[in-house]
Amino acid sequence: MKHTEDELIAAAAEVRERAYAPYSNFKVGAAVETEDGKIYTGCNVESASDGLTVCGERVAIWKGISRGETKFSRVAVVVDTEELTPPCGVCRQIIWEFCGDVPVILSNLHGKSETVQMSELLPRAFDSKFLK
Ligand code: THU
C-alpha cells in the first residue's frame, strides 16, 4: 500500500465526475490500488439497455487487468450518499475473484468513510478453488 486512504478516495472521487449515468443520476467512482502502488480508476457507464450498464468498481478492475495487473491490495468506492454505499453483489464477486480478501474503503463526498474487509462483504464466497 503506497498511497494514503485519502489519496485513493481522491482518485475515486475524481473519476466519479466522469460517470455516465443519465438514467439513474447515481454516479459512482472507484479506485483499485495494485500491490506495487499503481492506481486504476473507474466510473459507472450506463446503457439505454439497462442490463448492459457496468459499475465503476468493475471498470477500474478491468482497466488494471487489461494493463497486465494481477495483484490488487485495496479498493475505494465513492458515492454521494449519506449512508455509505457498498459495492453491489456482482462487483463483490468480481472484487473477490480479482483482488481477494482486500480492504474496501467506502466514502462519500463529505469526508465520511469506513473500511470494510471483502470477507465481511462476501462471506463464504464462491471462487475458482471450487472448480478444481
Ligand atoms: N453502481 C455502481 O457503479 N457500483 C455499485 O456497486 C452499485 C451500482 C451503478 C450502476 C448504475 O449505473 C447505478 O450505480 C445505479 O444502480
Side-chain angles (χ1 to χ4, degrees):
M1 294 183 197
K2 301 251 166 82
H3 296 272
T4 64
E5 276 200 9
D6 283 351
E7 285 169 336
L8 208 56
I9 291 169
E14 189 190 345
V15 71
R16 180 185 165 279
E17 293 299 318
R18 295 195 284 279
Y20 179 76
Y23 308 108
S24 71
N25 288 313
F26 190 80
K27 294 182 169 190
V28 180
V32 289
E33 185 185 31
T34 63
E35 273 184 15
D36 61 354
K38 289 195 219 85
I39 292 177
Y40 292 89
T41 59
C43 56
N44 52 329
V45 182
E46 297 185 346
S47 165
S49 177
D50 273 356
L52 305 184
T53 288
V54 186
C55 296
E57 295 91 324
R58 277 175 286 151
V59 171
I61 292 170
W62 298 157
K63 280 167 71 178
I65 294 289
S66 60
R67 287 290 195 136
E69 305 292 351
T70 53
K71 293 186 164 55
F72 300 98
S73 55
R74 259 191 321 181
V75 179
V77 182
V78 173
V79 185
D80 188 20
T81 52
E82 179 51 37
E83 182 180 352
L84 296 172
T85 305
C88 76
V90 169
C91 289
R92 291 180 200 206
Q93 178 68 27
I94 295 299
I95 295 169
W96 179 268
E97 286 190 45
F98 289 90
C99 308
D101 191 12
V102 297
V104 179
I105 305 162
L106 311 176
S107 184
N108 66 15
L109 298 182
H110 311 290
K112 186 172 169 186
S113 72
E114 183 189 342
T115 302
V116 208
Q117 201 66 21
M118 261 316 293
S119 50
E120 275 180 71
L121 290 173
L122 192 66
R124 208 167 168 181
F126 173 77
D127 59 27
S128 62
K129 77 171 188 260
F130 293 99
L131 299 176
K132 286 173 186 140

